[in-house]
PDB file of all heavy atoms in Angstrom:
ATOM      1  N   ASP H   1     -74.023 -11.479   5.145  1.00  0.00           N
ATOM      2  CA  ASP H   1     -72.794 -11.165   5.882  1.00  0.00           C
ATOM      3  C   ASP H   1     -73.029 -10.905   7.368  1.00  0.00           C
ATOM      4  O   ASP H   1     -72.082 -10.695   8.119  1.00  0.00           O
ATOM      5  CB  ASP H   1     -72.109  -9.940   5.264  1.00  0.00           C
ATOM      6  CG  ASP H   1     -71.589 -10.220   3.869  1.00  0.00           C
ATOM      7  OD1 ASP H   1     -71.343 -11.406   3.540  1.00  0.00           O
ATOM      8  OD2 ASP H   1     -71.439  -9.254   3.100  1.00  0.00           O
ATOM      9  N   LEU H   2     -74.287 -10.895   7.794  1.00  0.00           N
ATOM     10  CA  LEU H   2     -74.581 -10.652   9.206  1.00  0.00           C
ATOM     11  C   LEU H   2     -74.169 -11.839  10.061  1.00  0.00           C
ATOM     12  O   LEU H   2     -74.432 -12.979   9.717  1.00  0.00           O
ATOM     13  CB  LEU H   2     -76.076 -10.381   9.407  1.00  0.00           C
ATOM     14  CG  LEU H   2     -76.585  -9.035   8.930  1.00  0.00           C
ATOM     15  CD1 LEU H   2     -78.110  -9.000   8.987  1.00  0.00           C
ATOM     16  CD2 LEU H   2     -75.994  -7.906   9.759  1.00  0.00           C
ATOM     17  N   ARG H   3     -73.502 -11.556  11.165  1.00  0.00           N
ATOM     18  CA  ARG H   3     -73.116 -12.553  12.158  1.00  0.00           C
ATOM     19  C   ARG H   3     -73.502 -11.997  13.519  1.00  0.00           C
ATOM     20  O   ARG H   3     -73.420 -10.790  13.746  1.00  0.00           O
ATOM     21  CB  ARG H   3     -71.610 -12.812  12.144  1.00  0.00           C
ATOM     22  CG  ARG H   3     -71.036 -13.254  10.820  1.00  0.00           C
ATOM     23  CD  ARG H   3     -71.445 -14.679  10.458  1.00  0.00           C
ATOM     24  NE  ARG H   3     -70.895 -15.119   9.203  1.00  0.00           N
ATOM     25  CZ  ARG H   3     -71.452 -14.962   8.006  1.00  0.00           C
ATOM     26  NH1 ARG H   3     -72.601 -14.320   7.895  1.00  0.00           N
ATOM     27  NH2 ARG H   3     -70.885 -15.411   6.911  1.00  0.00           N
ATOM     28  N   LEU H   4     -73.866 -12.865  14.430  1.00  0.00           N
ATOM     29  CA  LEU H   4     -74.231 -12.414  15.760  1.00  0.00           C
ATOM     30  C   LEU H   4     -73.044 -11.720  16.421  1.00  0.00           C
ATOM     31  O   LEU H   4     -71.950 -12.275  16.501  1.00  0.00           O
ATOM     32  CB  LEU H   4     -74.697 -13.593  16.628  1.00  0.00           C
ATOM     33  CG  LEU H   4     -75.050 -13.250  18.072  1.00  0.00           C
ATOM     34  CD1 LEU H   4     -76.276 -12.350  18.122  1.00  0.00           C
ATOM     35  CD2 LEU H   4     -75.285 -14.500  18.881  1.00  0.00           C
ATOM     36  N   GLN H   5     -73.261 -10.500  16.855  1.00  0.00           N
ATOM     37  CA  GLN H   5     -72.290  -9.736  17.626  1.00  0.00           C
ATOM     38  C   GLN H   5     -72.920  -9.488  18.996  1.00  0.00           C
ATOM     39  O   GLN H   5     -74.131  -9.483  19.125  1.00  0.00           O
ATOM     40  CB  GLN H   5     -71.996  -8.392  16.956  1.00  0.00           C
ATOM     41  CG  GLN H   5     -71.443  -8.495  15.558  1.00  0.00           C
ATOM     42  CD  GLN H   5     -70.031  -9.027  15.546  1.00  0.00           C
ATOM     43  OE1 GLN H   5     -69.209  -8.676  16.394  1.00  0.00           O
ATOM     44  NE2 GLN H   5     -69.725  -9.886  14.605  1.00  0.00           N
ATOM     45  N   HIS H   6     -72.094  -9.245  19.995  1.00  0.00           N
ATOM     46  CA  HIS H   6     -72.611  -8.992  21.349  1.00  0.00           C
ATOM     47  C   HIS H   6     -72.101  -7.646  21.826  1.00  0.00           C
ATOM     48  O   HIS H   6     -70.908  -7.345  21.731  1.00  0.00           O
ATOM     49  CB  HIS H   6     -72.151 -10.095  22.304  1.00  0.00           C
ATOM     50  CG  HIS H   6     -72.538  -9.835  23.724  1.00  0.00           C
ATOM     51  ND1 HIS H   6     -73.816 -10.001  24.195  1.00  0.00           N
ATOM     52  CD2 HIS H   6     -71.806  -9.383  24.774  1.00  0.00           C
ATOM     53  CE1 HIS H   6     -73.860  -9.686  25.484  1.00  0.00           C
ATOM     54  NE2 HIS H   6     -72.649  -9.305  25.856  1.00  0.00           N
ATOM     55  N   TYR H   7     -73.019  -6.835  22.364  1.00  0.00           N
ATOM     56  CA  TYR H   7     -72.684  -5.530  22.915  1.00  0.00           C
ATOM     57  C   TYR H   7     -73.344  -5.417  24.283  1.00  0.00           C
ATOM     58  O   TYR H   7     -74.527  -5.701  24.433  1.00  0.00           O
ATOM     59  CB  TYR H   7     -73.191  -4.403  22.008  1.00  0.00           C
ATOM     60  CG  TYR H   7     -72.635  -4.503  20.605  1.00  0.00           C
ATOM     61  CD1 TYR H   7     -73.325  -5.203  19.621  1.00  0.00           C
ATOM     62  CD2 TYR H   7     -71.415  -3.925  20.275  1.00  0.00           C
ATOM     63  CE1 TYR H   7     -72.809  -5.313  18.330  1.00  0.00           C
ATOM     64  CE2 TYR H   7     -70.892  -4.035  18.986  1.00  0.00           C
ATOM     65  CZ  TYR H   7     -71.599  -4.731  18.018  1.00  0.00           C
ATOM     66  OH  TYR H   7     -71.084  -4.844  16.758  1.00  0.00           O
ATOM     67  N   CYS H   8     -72.562  -4.999  25.278  1.00  0.00           N
ATOM     68  CA  CYS H   8     -73.083  -4.873  26.640  1.00  0.00           C
ATOM     69  C   CYS H   8     -72.962  -3.423  27.083  1.00  0.00           C
ATOM     70  O   CYS H   8     -71.908  -2.799  26.919  1.00  0.00           O
ATOM     71  CB  CYS H   8     -72.300  -5.778  27.589  1.00  0.00           C
ATOM     72  SG  CYS H   8     -72.916  -5.698  29.283  1.00  0.00           S
ATOM     73  N   PHE H   9     -74.041  -2.909  27.661  1.00  0.00           N
ATOM     74  CA  PHE H   9     -74.087  -1.518  28.100  1.00  0.00           C
ATOM     75  C   PHE H   9     -74.320  -1.468  29.607  1.00  0.00           C
ATOM     76  O   PHE H   9     -75.214  -2.121  30.122  1.00  0.00           O
ATOM     77  CB  PHE H   9     -75.207  -0.769  27.367  1.00  0.00           C
ATOM     78  CG  PHE H   9     -75.006  -0.780  25.882  1.00  0.00           C
ATOM     79  CD1 PHE H   9     -75.600  -1.771  25.105  1.00  0.00           C
ATOM     80  CD2 PHE H   9     -74.212   0.164  25.266  1.00  0.00           C
ATOM     81  CE1 PHE H   9     -75.391  -1.820  23.736  1.00  0.00           C
ATOM     82  CE2 PHE H   9     -74.011   0.124  23.896  1.00  0.00           C
ATOM     83  CZ  PHE H   9     -74.604  -0.857  23.134  1.00  0.00           C
ATOM     84  N   LEU H  10     -73.515  -0.667  30.278  1.00  0.00           N
ATOM     85  CA  LEU H  10     -73.620  -0.467  31.725  1.00  0.00           C
ATOM     86  C   LEU H  10     -74.402   0.818  31.959  1.00  0.00           C
ATOM     87  O   LEU H  10     -74.013   1.885  31.464  1.00  0.00           O
ATOM     88  CB  LEU H  10     -72.219  -0.360  32.337  1.00  0.00           C
ATOM     89  CG  LEU H  10     -72.117  -0.080  33.829  1.00  0.00           C
ATOM     90  CD1 LEU H  10     -72.696  -1.236  34.643  1.00  0.00           C
ATOM     91  CD2 LEU H  10     -70.664   0.161  34.212  1.00  0.00           C
ATOM     92  N   ILE H  11     -75.517   0.708  32.680  1.00  0.00           N
ATOM     93  CA  ILE H  11     -76.326   1.888  32.990  1.00  0.00           C
ATOM     94  C   ILE H  11     -76.488   1.997  34.505  1.00  0.00           C
ATOM     95  O   ILE H  11     -76.338   1.005  35.223  1.00  0.00           O
ATOM     96  CB  ILE H  11     -77.711   1.844  32.297  1.00  0.00           C
ATOM     97  CG1 ILE H  11     -78.595   0.715  32.850  1.00  0.00           C
ATOM     98  CG2 ILE H  11     -77.562   1.751  30.784  1.00  0.00           C
ATOM     99  CD1 ILE H  11     -80.042   0.744  32.359  1.00  0.00           C
ATOM    100  N   PRO H  12     -76.827   3.182  35.001  1.00  0.00           N
ATOM    101  CA  PRO H  12     -77.059   3.324  36.438  1.00  0.00           C
ATOM    102  C   PRO H  12     -78.287   2.522  36.872  1.00  0.00           C
ATOM    103  O   PRO H  12     -79.274   2.426  36.133  1.00  0.00           O
ATOM    104  CB  PRO H  12     -77.312   4.824  36.626  1.00  0.00           C
ATOM    105  CG  PRO H  12     -76.760   5.477  35.414  1.00  0.00           C
ATOM    106  CD  PRO H  12     -76.890   4.477  34.306  1.00  0.00           C
ATOM    107  N   GLU H  13     -78.227   1.980  38.059  1.00  0.00           N
ATOM    108  CA  GLU H  13     -79.365   1.238  38.622  1.00  0.00           C
ATOM    109  C   GLU H  13     -80.636   2.090  38.581  1.00  0.00           C
ATOM    110  O   GLU H  13     -81.715   1.597  38.262  1.00  0.00           O
ATOM    111  CB  GLU H  13     -79.043   0.817  40.061  1.00  0.00           C
ATOM    112  CG  GLU H  13     -80.160   0.086  40.767  1.00  0.00           C
ATOM    113  CD  GLU H  13     -80.495  -1.275  40.177  1.00  0.00           C
ATOM    114  OE1 GLU H  13     -79.576  -2.001  39.754  1.00  0.00           O
ATOM    115  OE2 GLU H  13     -81.699  -1.613  40.133  1.00  0.00           O
ATOM    116  N   ALA H  14     -80.501   3.376  38.865  1.00  0.00           N
ATOM    117  CA  ALA H  14     -81.659   4.273  38.902  1.00  0.00           C
ATOM    118  C   ALA H  14     -82.338   4.418  37.538  1.00  0.00           C
ATOM    119  O   ALA H  14     -83.498   4.813  37.466  1.00  0.00           O
ATOM    120  CB  ALA H  14     -81.235   5.646  39.419  1.00  0.00           C
ATOM    121  N   ASP H  15     -81.633   4.095  36.453  1.00  0.00           N
ATOM    122  CA  ASP H  15     -82.196   4.226  35.101  1.00  0.00           C
ATOM    123  C   ASP H  15     -82.772   2.924  34.559  1.00  0.00           C
ATOM    124  O   ASP H  15     -83.367   2.914  33.478  1.00  0.00           O
ATOM    125  CB  ASP H  15     -81.125   4.724  34.130  1.00  0.00           C
ATOM    126  CG  ASP H  15     -80.691   6.145  34.418  1.00  0.00           C
ATOM    127  OD1 ASP H  15     -81.404   6.850  35.168  1.00  0.00           O
ATOM    128  OD2 ASP H  15     -79.639   6.560  33.892  1.00  0.00           O
ATOM    129  N   PHE H  16     -82.584   1.823  35.283  1.00  0.00           N
ATOM    130  CA  PHE H  16     -82.992   0.524  34.731  1.00  0.00           C
ATOM    131  C   PHE H  16     -84.498   0.427  34.525  1.00  0.00           C
ATOM    132  O   PHE H  16     -84.943  -0.086  33.496  1.00  0.00           O
ATOM    133  CB  PHE H  16     -82.503  -0.632  35.618  1.00  0.00           C
ATOM    134  CG  PHE H  16     -82.702  -1.975  34.967  1.00  0.00           C
ATOM    135  CD1 PHE H  16     -81.765  -2.479  34.084  1.00  0.00           C
ATOM    136  CD2 PHE H  16     -83.829  -2.733  35.226  1.00  0.00           C
ATOM    137  CE1 PHE H  16     -81.937  -3.712  33.470  1.00  0.00           C
ATOM    138  CE2 PHE H  16     -84.024  -3.966  34.616  1.00  0.00           C
ATOM    139  CZ  PHE H  16     -83.078  -4.457  33.738  1.00  0.00           C
ATOM    140  N   ASP H  17     -85.297   0.888  35.470  1.00  0.00           N
ATOM    141  CA  ASP H  17     -86.751   0.761  35.331  1.00  0.00           C
ATOM    142  C   ASP H  17     -87.262   1.460  34.077  1.00  0.00           C
ATOM    143  O   ASP H  17     -88.092   0.910  33.347  1.00  0.00           O
ATOM    144  CB  ASP H  17     -87.472   1.293  36.570  1.00  0.00           C
ATOM    145  CG  ASP H  17     -87.280   0.394  37.784  1.00  0.00           C
ATOM    146  OD1 ASP H  17     -87.061  -0.824  37.615  1.00  0.00           O
ATOM    147  OD2 ASP H  17     -87.335   0.911  38.913  1.00  0.00           O
ATOM    148  N   ALA H  18     -86.785   2.667  33.819  1.00  0.00           N
ATOM    149  CA  ALA H  18     -87.224   3.402  32.623  1.00  0.00           C
ATOM    150  C   ALA H  18     -86.753   2.689  31.359  1.00  0.00           C
ATOM    151  O   ALA H  18     -87.526   2.538  30.399  1.00  0.00           O
ATOM    152  CB  ALA H  18     -86.704   4.829  32.662  1.00  0.00           C
ATOM    153  N   PHE H  19     -85.501   2.251  31.343  1.00  0.00           N
ATOM    154  CA  PHE H  19     -85.001   1.484  30.193  1.00  0.00           C
ATOM    155  C   PHE H  19     -85.861   0.238  29.974  1.00  0.00           C
ATOM    156  O   PHE H  19     -86.288  -0.045  28.850  1.00  0.00           O
ATOM    157  CB  PHE H  19     -83.531   1.075  30.407  1.00  0.00           C
ATOM    158  CG  PHE H  19     -83.188  -0.200  29.715  1.00  0.00           C
ATOM    159  CD1 PHE H  19     -82.990  -0.232  28.341  1.00  0.00           C
ATOM    160  CD2 PHE H  19     -83.132  -1.403  30.412  1.00  0.00           C
ATOM    161  CE1 PHE H  19     -82.733  -1.430  27.685  1.00  0.00           C
ATOM    162  CE2 PHE H  19     -82.879  -2.597  29.770  1.00  0.00           C
ATOM    163  CZ  PHE H  19     -82.666  -2.604  28.397  1.00  0.00           C
ATOM    164  N   PHE H  20     -86.110  -0.501  31.035  1.00  0.00           N
ATOM    165  CA  PHE H  20     -86.829  -1.764  30.917  1.00  0.00           C
ATOM    166  C   PHE H  20     -88.266  -1.541  30.444  1.00  0.00           C
ATOM    167  O   PHE H  20     -88.793  -2.324  29.638  1.00  0.00           O
ATOM    168  CB  PHE H  20     -86.793  -2.522  32.244  1.00  0.00           C
ATOM    169  CG  PHE H  20     -87.259  -3.932  32.155  1.00  0.00           C
ATOM    170  CD1 PHE H  20     -86.694  -4.817  31.243  1.00  0.00           C
ATOM    171  CD2 PHE H  20     -88.271  -4.394  32.969  1.00  0.00           C
ATOM    172  CE1 PHE H  20     -87.141  -6.132  31.148  1.00  0.00           C
ATOM    173  CE2 PHE H  20     -88.722  -5.706  32.888  1.00  0.00           C
ATOM    174  CZ  PHE H  20     -88.157  -6.568  31.971  1.00  0.00           C
ATOM    175  N   ALA H  21     -88.885  -0.468  30.889  1.00  0.00           N
ATOM    176  CA  ALA H  21     -90.237  -0.139  30.413  1.00  0.00           C
ATOM    177  C   ALA H  21     -90.220   0.126  28.905  1.00  0.00           C
ATOM    178  O   ALA H  21     -91.102  -0.340  28.173  1.00  0.00           O
ATOM    179  CB  ALA H  21     -90.783   1.073  31.165  1.00  0.00           C
ATOM    180  N   ARG H  22     -89.195   0.847  28.444  1.00  0.00           N
ATOM    181  CA  ARG H  22     -89.079   1.104  26.994  1.00  0.00           C
ATOM    182  C   ARG H  22     -88.836  -0.180  26.235  1.00  0.00           C
ATOM    183  O   ARG H  22     -89.387  -0.389  25.145  1.00  0.00           O
ATOM    184  CB  ARG H  22     -87.976   2.132  26.729  1.00  0.00           C
ATOM    185  CG  ARG H  22     -88.317   3.535  27.210  1.00  0.00           C
ATOM    186  CD  ARG H  22     -87.316   4.577  26.747  1.00  0.00           C
ATOM    187  NE  ARG H  22     -85.978   4.388  27.270  1.00  0.00           N
ATOM    188  CZ  ARG H  22     -85.508   4.939  28.382  1.00  0.00           C
ATOM    189  NH1 ARG H  22     -86.279   5.730  29.117  1.00  0.00           N
ATOM    190  NH2 ARG H  22     -84.259   4.733  28.760  1.00  0.00           N
ATOM    191  N   LEU H  23     -88.014  -1.081  26.787  1.00  0.00           N
ATOM    192  CA  LEU H  23     -87.767  -2.363  26.131  1.00  0.00           C
ATOM    193  C   LEU H  23     -89.063  -3.150  26.008  1.00  0.00           C
ATOM    194  O   LEU H  23     -89.382  -3.681  24.931  1.00  0.00           O
ATOM    195  CB  LEU H  23     -86.720  -3.172  26.907  1.00  0.00           C
ATOM    196  CG  LEU H  23     -86.429  -4.580  26.369  1.00  0.00           C
ATOM    197  CD1 LEU H  23     -85.863  -4.533  24.946  1.00  0.00           C
ATOM    198  CD2 LEU H  23     -85.482  -5.321  27.305  1.00  0.00           C
ATOM    199  N   LYS H  24     -89.827  -3.238  27.083  1.00  0.00           N
ATOM    200  CA  LYS H  24     -91.086  -3.987  27.049  1.00  0.00           C
ATOM    201  C   LYS H  24     -92.068  -3.374  26.044  1.00  0.00           C
ATOM    202  O   LYS H  24     -92.785  -4.106  25.362  1.00  0.00           O
ATOM    203  CB  LYS H  24     -91.707  -4.080  28.438  1.00  0.00           C
ATOM    204  CG  LYS H  24     -90.899  -5.002  29.366  1.00  0.00           C
ATOM    205  CD  LYS H  24     -91.636  -5.388  30.624  1.00  0.00           C
ATOM    206  CE  LYS H  24     -91.897  -4.240  31.527  1.00  0.00           C
ATOM    207  NZ  LYS H  24     -92.425  -4.636  32.842  1.00  0.00           N
ATOM    208  N   GLU H  25     -92.077  -2.053  25.917  1.00  0.00           N
ATOM    209  CA  GLU H  25     -92.955  -1.383  24.947  1.00  0.00           C
ATOM    210  C   GLU H  25     -92.669  -1.809  23.514  1.00  0.00           C
ATOM    211  O   GLU H  25     -93.568  -1.816  22.679  1.00  0.00           O
ATOM    212  CB  GLU H  25     -92.799   0.137  25.042  1.00  0.00           C
ATOM    213  CG  GLU H  25     -93.480   0.770  26.219  1.00  0.00           C
ATOM    214  CD  GLU H  25     -93.157   2.261  26.325  1.00  0.00           C
ATOM    215  OE1 GLU H  25     -92.533   2.829  25.394  1.00  0.00           O
ATOM    216  OE2 GLU H  25     -93.522   2.862  27.347  1.00  0.00           O
ATOM    217  N   THR H  26     -91.415  -2.151  23.221  1.00  0.00           N
ATOM    218  CA  THR H  26     -91.053  -2.539  21.847  1.00  0.00           C
ATOM    219  C   THR H  26     -91.635  -3.892  21.468  1.00  0.00           C
ATOM    220  O   THR H  26     -91.770  -4.196  20.287  1.00  0.00           O
ATOM    221  CB  THR H  26     -89.527  -2.612  21.651  1.00  0.00           C
ATOM    222  OG1 THR H  26     -88.998  -3.722  22.395  1.00  0.00           O
ATOM    223  CG2 THR H  26     -88.838  -1.313  22.029  1.00  0.00           C
ATOM    224  N   GLY H  27     -91.935  -4.727  22.466  1.00  0.00           N
ATOM    225  CA  GLY H  27     -92.418  -6.078  22.184  1.00  0.00           C
ATOM    226  C   GLY H  27     -91.308  -7.046  21.829  1.00  0.00           C
ATOM    227  O   GLY H  27     -91.564  -8.206  21.508  1.00  0.00           O
ATOM    228  N   VAL H  28     -90.061  -6.599  21.894  1.00  0.00           N
ATOM    229  CA  VAL H  28     -88.915  -7.461  21.593  1.00  0.00           C
ATOM    230  C   VAL H  28     -88.764  -8.478  22.714  1.00  0.00           C
ATOM    231  O   VAL H  28     -88.770  -8.105  23.891  1.00  0.00           O
ATOM    232  CB  VAL H  28     -87.631  -6.616  21.445  1.00  0.00           C
ATOM    233  CG1 VAL H  28     -86.394  -7.485  21.395  1.00  0.00           C
ATOM    234  CG2 VAL H  28     -87.720  -5.731  20.217  1.00  0.00           C
ATOM    235  N   PRO H  29     -88.637  -9.757  22.383  1.00  0.00           N
ATOM    236  CA  PRO H  29     -88.412 -10.763  23.433  1.00  0.00           C
ATOM    237  C   PRO H  29     -87.113 -10.481  24.190  1.00  0.00           C
ATOM    238  O   PRO H  29     -86.126 -10.054  23.603  1.00  0.00           O
ATOM    239  CB  PRO H  29     -88.307 -12.079  22.669  1.00  0.00           C
ATOM    240  CG  PRO H  29     -88.938 -11.815  21.342  1.00  0.00           C
ATOM    241  CD  PRO H  29     -88.714 -10.363  21.051  1.00  0.00           C
TER     242      PRO H  29
END
C-alpha cells in the first residue's frame, strides 16, 4: 500500500549546515 509521498520542510538558513551534516551521517543518498 506504500506510494511515494512528498513532504517539504522549511528550515532557517543558519540550521542547514547542521541538518546537512546529520543527513550525510545517515548515508542516505
